[in-house]
Protein backbone atom coordinates (compact mmCIF):
# COMPACT_ATOMS: atom_id res chain seq x y z
CA UNK A 1 0.00 0.00 0.00
CA UNK A 2 1.32 3.41 -0.97
CA UNK A 3 0.91 5.89 1.90
CA UNK A 4 0.47 8.90 -0.39
CA UNK A 5 -2.31 7.22 -2.37
CA UNK A 6 -3.99 6.10 0.84
CA UNK A 7 -3.89 9.65 2.17
CA UNK A 8 -5.53 10.92 -1.02
CA UNK A 9 -8.36 8.40 -0.57
CA UNK A 10 -8.66 9.36 3.08
CA UNK A 11 -8.90 13.07 2.20
CA UNK A 12 -11.79 12.30 -0.14
CA UNK A 13 -13.55 10.31 2.58
CA UNK A 14 -13.26 13.24 5.00
CA UNK A 15 -15.53 15.25 2.72
CA UNK A 16 -18.40 13.31 4.31
CA UNK A 17 -17.67 15.03 7.64
CA UNK A 18 -18.21 18.68 8.50
CA UNK A 19 -14.50 19.12 9.25
CA UNK A 20 -12.31 21.67 7.46
CA UNK A 21 -9.25 19.47 6.97
CA UNK A 22 -5.71 20.81 7.15
CA UNK A 23 -3.81 17.51 6.93
CA UNK A 24 -4.32 13.75 6.72
CA UNK A 25 -1.43 11.47 7.71
CA UNK A 26 -1.33 7.68 7.40
CA UNK A 27 -0.83 5.89 10.75
CA UNK A 28 -1.03 2.13 10.27
CA UNK A 29 -2.73 -0.91 8.77
CA UNK A 30 -4.05 -3.62 11.10
CA UNK A 31 -7.71 -4.60 11.18
CA UNK A 32 -8.29 -1.04 9.99
CA UNK A 33 -6.43 1.48 7.89
CA UNK A 34 -6.00 4.46 10.19
CA UNK A 35 -5.14 8.14 9.69
CA UNK A 36 -4.40 11.16 11.86
CA UNK A 37 -6.52 14.10 10.72
CA UNK A 38 -5.93 17.72 11.76
CA UNK A 39 -8.47 20.43 11.05
CA UNK A 40 -7.64 24.02 10.14
CA UNK A 41 -8.73 25.04 13.64
CA UNK A 42 -6.22 22.59 15.16
CA UNK A 43 -8.69 19.92 16.26
CA UNK A 44 -7.42 16.35 15.84
CA UNK A 45 -9.21 13.17 14.82
CA UNK A 46 -8.65 9.53 13.90
CA UNK A 47 -10.13 8.31 10.59
CA UNK A 48 -10.53 4.53 10.40
CA UNK A 49 -11.41 2.41 7.36
CA UNK A 50 -12.75 -0.87 8.68
CA UNK A 51 -11.63 -4.19 7.24
CA UNK A 52 -14.24 -5.52 4.75
CA UNK A 53 -16.17 -8.51 6.00
CA UNK A 54 -14.95 -8.28 9.57
CA UNK A 55 -18.01 -6.46 10.93
CA UNK A 56 -21.29 -5.49 9.34
CA UNK A 57 -22.86 -2.07 9.79
CA UNK A 58 -24.95 -3.04 12.83
CA UNK A 59 -21.89 -4.48 14.57
CA UNK A 60 -20.02 -1.21 13.99
CA UNK A 61 -22.94 0.81 15.33
CA UNK A 62 -23.08 -1.50 18.35
CA UNK A 63 -19.40 -0.82 19.06
CA UNK A 64 -20.29 2.88 19.36
CA UNK A 65 -23.28 2.07 21.56
CA UNK A 66 -21.09 0.17 24.01
CA UNK A 67 -18.28 2.76 24.10
CA UNK A 68 -20.85 5.52 24.69
CA UNK A 69 -22.19 3.58 27.69
CA UNK A 70 -18.68 2.94 28.98
CA UNK A 71 -17.98 6.68 28.77
CA UNK A 72 -21.21 7.37 30.66
CA UNK A 73 -19.91 5.23 33.56
CA UNK A 74 -16.67 7.24 33.71
CA UNK A 75 -14.37 5.13 31.55
CA UNK A 76 -12.10 6.85 29.04
CA UNK A 77 -12.98 5.47 25.58
CA UNK A 78 -13.10 6.74 21.99
CA UNK A 79 -15.63 9.48 21.21
CA UNK A 80 -17.26 9.16 17.79
CA UNK A 81 -17.85 12.06 15.41
CA UNK A 82 -20.93 11.88 13.21
CA UNK A 83 -20.77 12.55 9.48
CA UNK A 84 -22.73 15.32 7.72
CA UNK A 85 -25.84 13.15 7.36
CA UNK A 86 -25.73 12.22 11.06
CA UNK A 87 -24.22 8.83 10.23
CA UNK A 88 -21.69 7.09 12.45
CA UNK A 89 -20.09 5.39 9.45
CA UNK A 90 -20.05 6.05 5.71
CA UNK A 91 -18.96 3.83 2.85
CA UNK A 92 -15.81 5.11 1.12
CA UNK A 93 -13.24 3.81 -1.33
CA UNK A 94 -9.67 3.19 -0.28
CA UNK A 95 -6.94 1.24 -2.05
CA UNK A 96 -9.52 -0.01 -4.55
CA UNK A 97 -11.88 -1.34 -1.87
CA UNK A 98 -15.16 -0.10 -0.45
CA UNK A 99 -15.00 0.06 3.33
CA UNK A 100 -16.96 1.60 6.16
CA UNK A 101 -15.16 4.70 7.44
CA UNK A 102 -15.63 6.32 10.84
CA UNK A 103 -14.10 9.27 12.68
CA UNK A 104 -13.12 9.50 16.36
CA UNK A 105 -11.73 12.34 18.42
CA UNK A 106 -7.95 12.13 18.81
CA UNK A 107 -6.45 11.65 22.27
CA UNK A 108 -2.87 12.80 22.89
CA UNK A 109 -0.75 10.49 24.96
CA UNK A 110 1.73 7.63 25.01
CA UNK A 111 0.87 3.96 24.40
CA UNK A 112 1.15 2.15 27.70
CA UNK A 113 3.53 -0.44 26.28
CA UNK A 114 6.02 2.40 25.71
CA UNK A 115 5.50 3.67 29.25
CA UNK A 116 6.18 0.16 30.54
CA UNK A 117 9.23 -0.20 28.29
CA UNK A 118 10.61 3.09 29.62
CA UNK A 119 10.05 1.80 33.16
CA UNK A 120 11.83 -1.53 32.54
CA UNK A 121 14.57 -0.75 35.05
CA UNK A 122 12.05 0.44 37.65
CA UNK A 123 10.01 -2.59 38.62
CA UNK A 124 8.02 -0.60 41.17
CA UNK A 125 6.73 1.68 38.39
CA UNK A 126 5.76 -1.29 36.21
CA UNK A 127 3.99 -2.95 39.14
CA UNK A 128 2.04 0.26 39.74
CA UNK A 129 1.01 0.41 36.08
CA UNK A 130 -0.18 -3.21 36.06
CA UNK A 131 -2.26 -2.57 39.16
CA UNK A 132 -3.86 0.32 37.25
CA UNK A 133 -4.52 -2.01 34.29
CA UNK A 134 -6.14 -4.53 36.63
CA UNK A 135 -8.44 -1.84 37.98
CA UNK A 136 -9.24 -0.72 34.44
CA UNK A 137 -10.19 -4.23 33.32
CA UNK A 138 -12.32 -4.66 36.45
CA UNK A 139 -14.18 -1.44 35.65
CA UNK A 140 -14.93 -2.74 32.15
CA UNK A 141 -16.26 -6.02 33.53
CA UNK A 142 -18.28 -4.27 36.22
CA UNK A 143 -20.03 -2.11 33.61
CA UNK A 144 -20.63 -5.04 31.28
CA UNK A 145 -21.97 -7.37 33.98
CA UNK A 146 -24.71 -4.93 34.93
CA UNK A 147 -25.37 -3.46 31.46
CA UNK A 148 -28.41 -4.41 29.39
CA UNK A 149 -27.66 -3.99 25.66
CA UNK A 150 -30.50 -2.66 23.49
CA UNK A 151 -32.52 -5.21 21.47
CA UNK A 152 -30.73 -4.47 18.18
CA UNK A 153 -27.25 -4.68 19.71
CA UNK A 154 -25.01 -7.01 17.68
CA UNK A 155 -21.43 -8.09 18.34
CA UNK A 156 -19.57 -11.37 17.79
CA UNK A 157 -19.91 -14.18 20.33
CA UNK A 158 -16.73 -15.93 21.46
CA UNK A 159 -18.18 -18.88 23.30
CA UNK A 160 -17.15 -22.52 22.76
CA UNK A 161 -18.34 -22.24 19.14
CA UNK A 162 -16.78 -18.81 18.56
CA UNK A 163 -13.40 -20.10 19.75
CA UNK A 164 -13.42 -23.81 18.90
CA UNK A 165 -16.46 -24.56 16.74
CA UNK A 166 -16.66 -25.47 13.06
CA UNK A 167 -16.46 -21.80 12.04
CA UNK A 168 -14.57 -19.97 14.80
CA UNK A 169 -14.49 -16.19 14.65
CA UNK A 170 -10.77 -16.02 13.84
CA UNK A 171 -10.79 -18.91 11.41
CA UNK A 172 -10.18 -22.67 11.32
CA UNK A 173 -6.73 -22.41 12.89
CA UNK A 174 -6.15 -26.17 12.81
CA UNK A 175 -6.22 -26.02 8.99
CA UNK A 176 -3.64 -23.26 8.60
CA UNK A 177 -1.47 -23.85 5.53
CA UNK A 178 1.55 -22.86 7.61
CA UNK A 179 1.18 -26.09 9.60
CA UNK A 180 2.39 -29.57 8.76
CA UNK A 181 -0.15 -32.41 8.56
CA UNK A 182 1.11 -33.68 11.91
CA UNK A 183 0.67 -30.24 13.48
CA UNK A 184 -2.83 -29.94 12.00
CA UNK A 185 -3.75 -33.28 13.53
CA UNK A 186 -2.37 -32.26 16.92
CA UNK A 187 -4.33 -29.00 16.89
CA UNK A 188 -7.50 -30.88 16.01
CA UNK A 189 -7.09 -32.94 19.21
CA UNK A 190 -6.33 -29.83 21.27
CA UNK A 191 -9.34 -28.07 19.77
CA UNK A 192 -11.67 -30.89 20.83
CA UNK A 193 -10.30 -30.78 24.39
CA UNK A 194 -10.66 -26.99 24.57
CA UNK A 195 -14.22 -27.13 23.23
CA UNK A 196 -15.21 -29.52 26.01
CA UNK A 197 -13.78 -27.24 28.70
CA UNK A 198 -15.46 -24.13 27.27
CA UNK A 199 -18.81 -25.87 26.90
CA UNK A 200 -18.82 -26.46 30.65
CA UNK A 201 -17.74 -22.98 31.73
CA UNK A 202 -20.27 -20.72 33.43
CA UNK A 203 -21.81 -17.95 31.32
CA UNK A 204 -23.28 -16.16 34.30
CA UNK A 205 -22.87 -12.36 33.93
CA UNK A 206 -20.20 -12.21 36.64
CA UNK A 207 -17.97 -14.36 34.40
CA UNK A 208 -19.23 -13.75 30.85
CA UNK A 209 -20.44 -10.53 29.18
CA UNK A 210 -19.24 -7.93 26.71
CA UNK A 211 -15.44 -7.71 26.83
CA UNK A 212 -12.86 -5.64 24.97
CA UNK A 213 -10.99 -8.81 23.86
CA UNK A 214 -7.84 -6.93 22.82
CA UNK A 215 -7.00 -5.01 25.98
CA UNK A 216 -3.21 -5.24 25.85
CA UNK A 217 -0.96 -2.27 26.75
CA UNK A 218 -0.67 -1.30 23.07
CA UNK A 219 -4.37 -0.43 23.11
CA UNK A 220 -4.17 1.69 26.26
CA UNK A 221 -3.05 5.31 25.97
CA UNK A 222 -1.68 7.17 28.98
CA UNK A 223 -2.75 10.79 28.81
CA UNK A 224 -2.22 12.77 31.94
CA UNK A 225 -3.23 10.66 34.90
CA UNK A 226 -5.88 8.73 32.95
CA UNK A 227 -5.84 5.59 30.81
CA UNK A 228 -7.68 5.87 27.49
CA UNK A 229 -8.68 2.57 25.85
CA UNK A 230 -8.69 2.30 22.04
CA UNK A 231 -9.36 -0.30 19.33
CA UNK A 232 -12.68 -1.95 20.14
CA UNK A 233 -12.67 -3.94 16.87
CA UNK A 234 -12.60 -7.27 18.69
CA UNK A 235 -15.17 -6.33 21.36
CA UNK A 236 -17.51 -9.28 21.79
CA UNK A 237 -19.50 -11.40 24.19
CA UNK A 238 -17.12 -13.77 25.95
CA UNK A 239 -15.51 -14.80 29.22
CA UNK A 240 -13.83 -12.14 31.35
CA UNK A 241 -10.78 -14.36 31.64
CA UNK A 242 -10.04 -13.80 27.97
CA UNK A 243 -9.37 -10.13 28.77
CA UNK A 244 -6.98 -11.28 31.51
CA UNK A 245 -5.12 -13.47 29.02
CA UNK A 246 -4.86 -10.82 26.31
CA UNK A 247 -3.51 -8.28 28.78
CA UNK A 248 -0.84 -10.52 30.30
CA UNK A 249 0.20 -12.98 27.57
CA UNK A 250 3.03 -10.92 26.07
CA UNK A 251 4.60 -10.56 29.54
CA UNK A 252 4.75 -14.25 30.46
CA UNK A 253 8.46 -14.39 29.53
CA UNK A 254 9.30 -11.22 31.47
CA UNK A 255 11.60 -11.87 34.43
CA UNK A 256 9.16 -9.90 36.59
CA UNK A 257 6.06 -11.66 35.25
CA UNK A 258 4.86 -12.93 38.61
CA UNK A 259 5.13 -9.48 40.19
CA UNK A 260 3.31 -7.88 37.27
CA UNK A 261 0.60 -10.55 37.35
CA UNK A 262 0.13 -10.19 41.11
CA UNK A 263 -0.20 -6.42 40.64
CA UNK A 264 -2.83 -6.97 37.95
CA UNK A 265 -4.73 -9.35 40.24
CA UNK A 266 -4.49 -6.86 43.12
CA UNK A 267 -5.88 -4.03 40.99
CA UNK A 268 -8.70 -6.19 39.70
CA UNK A 269 -9.62 -7.57 43.13
CA UNK A 270 -9.88 -4.04 44.53
CA UNK A 271 -13.15 -3.82 42.57
CA UNK A 272 -14.24 -7.37 41.73
CA UNK A 273 -13.77 -10.94 42.89
CA UNK A 274 -11.15 -12.90 40.97
CA UNK A 275 -12.41 -15.86 38.91
CA UNK A 276 -12.28 -19.40 40.38
CA UNK A 277 -9.42 -21.80 39.54
CA UNK A 278 -7.49 -18.64 38.72
CA UNK A 279 -4.07 -19.79 37.49
CA UNK A 280 -5.17 -23.01 35.70
CA UNK A 281 -7.98 -21.02 34.05
CA UNK A 282 -5.69 -18.14 33.06
CA UNK A 283 -3.17 -20.55 31.53
CA UNK A 284 -6.02 -22.20 29.62
CA UNK A 285 -7.10 -18.84 28.21
CA UNK A 286 -3.48 -18.09 27.25
CA UNK A 287 -3.71 -21.26 25.17
CA UNK A 288 -6.98 -20.08 23.58
CA UNK A 289 -5.38 -16.76 22.66
CA UNK A 290 -2.44 -18.46 20.95
CA UNK A 291 -4.71 -20.84 19.04
CA UNK A 292 -6.95 -17.98 17.93
CA UNK A 293 -3.90 -16.02 16.78
CA UNK A 294 -2.87 -18.86 14.48
CA UNK A 295 -6.28 -18.51 12.82
CA UNK A 296 -5.88 -14.73 12.67
CA UNK A 297 -2.49 -15.09 10.98
CA UNK A 298 -3.82 -17.66 8.50
CA UNK A 299 -6.36 -15.11 7.26
CA UNK A 300 -3.70 -12.45 6.62
CA UNK A 301 -1.89 -13.33 3.35
CA UNK A 302 -0.24 -9.89 3.41
CA UNK A 303 1.77 -10.84 6.52
CA UNK A 304 4.99 -12.83 6.67
CA UNK A 305 3.30 -15.19 9.08
CA UNK A 306 5.08 -18.55 8.82
CA UNK A 307 7.63 -17.75 11.54
CA UNK A 308 5.00 -16.47 13.97
CA UNK A 309 2.80 -19.52 13.42
CA UNK A 310 5.67 -21.91 14.07
CA UNK A 311 6.67 -19.95 17.18
CA UNK A 312 3.12 -20.39 18.46
CA UNK A 313 3.25 -24.08 17.64
CA UNK A 314 6.41 -24.57 19.70
CA UNK A 315 4.54 -23.24 22.73
CA UNK A 316 1.44 -25.31 22.02
CA UNK A 317 3.34 -28.54 21.40
CA UNK A 318 5.31 -28.16 24.63
CA UNK A 319 2.57 -26.81 26.93
CA UNK A 320 -0.97 -27.43 25.65
CA UNK A 321 -1.52 -30.90 27.08
CA UNK A 322 -0.04 -29.86 30.44
CA UNK A 323 -2.31 -26.80 30.56
CA UNK A 324 -5.43 -28.84 29.81
CA UNK A 325 -4.46 -31.52 32.33
CA UNK A 326 -3.75 -28.92 35.02
CA UNK A 327 -7.14 -27.30 34.40
CA UNK A 328 -8.96 -30.60 34.85
CA UNK A 329 -6.98 -31.41 38.01
CA UNK A 330 -7.56 -28.01 39.67
Amino acid sequence: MNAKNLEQDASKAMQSWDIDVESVKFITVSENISFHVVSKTGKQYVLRFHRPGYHDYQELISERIWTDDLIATGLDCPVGVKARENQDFVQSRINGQTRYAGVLKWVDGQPLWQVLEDADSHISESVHRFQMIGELVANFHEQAQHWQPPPDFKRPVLDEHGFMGEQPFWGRFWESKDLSKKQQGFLTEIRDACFEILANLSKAPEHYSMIHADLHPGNIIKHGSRLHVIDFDDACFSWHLYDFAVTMLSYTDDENYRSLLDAFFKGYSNLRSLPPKLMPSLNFFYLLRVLAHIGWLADRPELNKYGATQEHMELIESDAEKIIRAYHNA
Side-chain angles (χ1 to χ4, degrees):
M1 293 184 181
N2 181 282
K4 185 176 180 180
N5 291 340
L6 294 177
E7 288 169 355
Q8 290 175 347
D9 289 342
S11 296
K12 291 178 183 177
M14 285 302 302
Q15 294 172 12
S16 295
W17 277 264
D18 192 18
I19 296 172
D20 198 4
V21 174
E22 175 70 25
S23 65
V24 176
K25 297 295 182 184
F26 171 74
I27 301 174
T28 189
V29 176
S30 56
E31 294 295 356
N32 307 319
I33 306 175
S34 301
F35 300 84
H36 180 203
V37 178
V38 180
S39 75
K40 290 182 179 178
T41 61
K43 292 182 178 180
Q44 300 179 75
Y45 306 90
V46 178
L47 168 65
R48 300 190 303 168
F49 289 83
H50 293 266
R51 175 186 164 202
Y54 197 57
H55 294 302
D56 63 29
Y57 186 75
Q58 192 57 40
E59 287 173 329
L60 294 175
I61 293 294
S62 295
E63 176 186 325
R64 289 277 178 94
I65 290 171
W66 191 42
T67 54
D68 286 348
D69 276 90
L70 289 166
I71 291 167
T73 65
L75 286 160
D76 203 331
C77 301
V79 176
V81 179
K82 290 188 179 290
R84 291 182 190 274
E85 303 300 323
N86 204 37
Q87 300 162 283
D88 288 295
F89 300 93
V90 299
Q91 287 191 314
S92 299
R93 297 284 291 175
I94 187 164
N95 198 41
Q97 290 181 318
T98 299
R99 296 185 177 216
Y100 284 113
V103 172
L104 304 167
K105 292 183 179 179
W106 179 271
V107 171
D108 278 321
Q110 186 179 16
L112 197 57
W113 72 265
Q114 290 183 352
V115 176
L116 291 165
E117 194 173 78
D118 293 343
D120 262 353
S121 59
H122 306 284
I123 181 59
S124 60
E125 175 67 15
S126 294
V127 164
H128 171 65
R129 294 297 177 192
F130 271 89
Q131 184 171 335
M132 290 178 67
I133 297 172
E135 292 174 354
L136 177 69
V137 174
N139 273 302
F140 266 72
H141 294 171
E142 192 68 12
Q143 185 274 346
Q145 177 183 340
H146 301 288
W147 181 57
Q148 183 60 51
D152 58 350
F153 189 86
K154 182 184 179 185
R155 289 298 295 183
V157 176
L158 265 66
D159 57 5
E160 63 271 27
H161 299 285
F163 276 119
M164 297 288 139
E166 285 300 310
Q167 298 298 331
F169 182 66
W170 282 299
R172 293 165 65 90
F173 58 87
W174 62 95
E175 293 180 349
S176 169
K177 294 180 181 179
D178 293 317
L179 302 172
S180 68
K181 291 294 184 183
K182 182 178 179 181
Q183 288 173 327
Q184 289 177 345
F186 181 69
L187 287 194
T188 298
E189 295 176 5
I190 295 300
R191 171 192 166 226
D192 291 342
C194 290
F195 185 96
E196 180 183 356
I197 291 174
L198 290 173
N200 287 286
L201 282 184
S202 170
K203 292 178 183 167
E206 60 267 30
H207 305 302
Y208 181 103
S209 66
M210 276 295 295
I211 64 169
H212 183 281
D214 204 19
L215 199 52
H216 56 76
N219 281 334
I220 304 172
I221 306 297
K222 179 183 178 294
H223 67 117
S225 61
R226 291 178 64 82
L227 298 180
H228 177 80
V229 178
I230 63 172
D231 196 356
F232 283 72
D233 270 352
D234 292 342
C236 62
F237 292 97
S238 192
W239 287 278
H240 297 164
L241 271 163
Y242 189 65
D243 271 342
F244 283 44
V246 172
T247 299
M248 296 304 308
L249 179 59
S250 60
Y251 293 90
T252 53
D253 290 332
D254 191 291
E255 62 180 348
N256 297 307
Y257 166 67
R258 191 67 223 195
S259 296
L260 301 179
L261 184 63
D262 287 344
F264 176 87
F265 288 160
K266 181 180 180 181
Y268 192 91
S269 63
N270 284 341
L271 297 172
R272 290 176 59 83
S273 297
L274 291 165
K277 297 173 59 170
L278 183 56
M279 284 311 301
S281 296
L282 178 59
N283 288 331
F284 173 70
F285 274 87
Y286 283 153
L287 174 60
L288 290 188
R289 176 67 169 179
V290 174
L291 292 170
H293 201 247
I294 291 176
W296 185 88
L297 288 168
D299 201 30
R300 300 301 188 286
E302 72 277 10
L303 300 177
N304 181 14
K305 58 191 184 302
Y306 179 80
T309 297
Q310 290 304 314
E311 185 176 332
H312 288 335
M313 280 305 304
E314 289 178 14
L315 291 171
I316 293 166
E317 288 169 335
S318 63
D319 294 341
E321 292 176 330
K322 289 185 291 185
I323 288 170
I324 291 169
R325 188 164 54 250
Y327 179 87
H328 284 302
N329 291 336

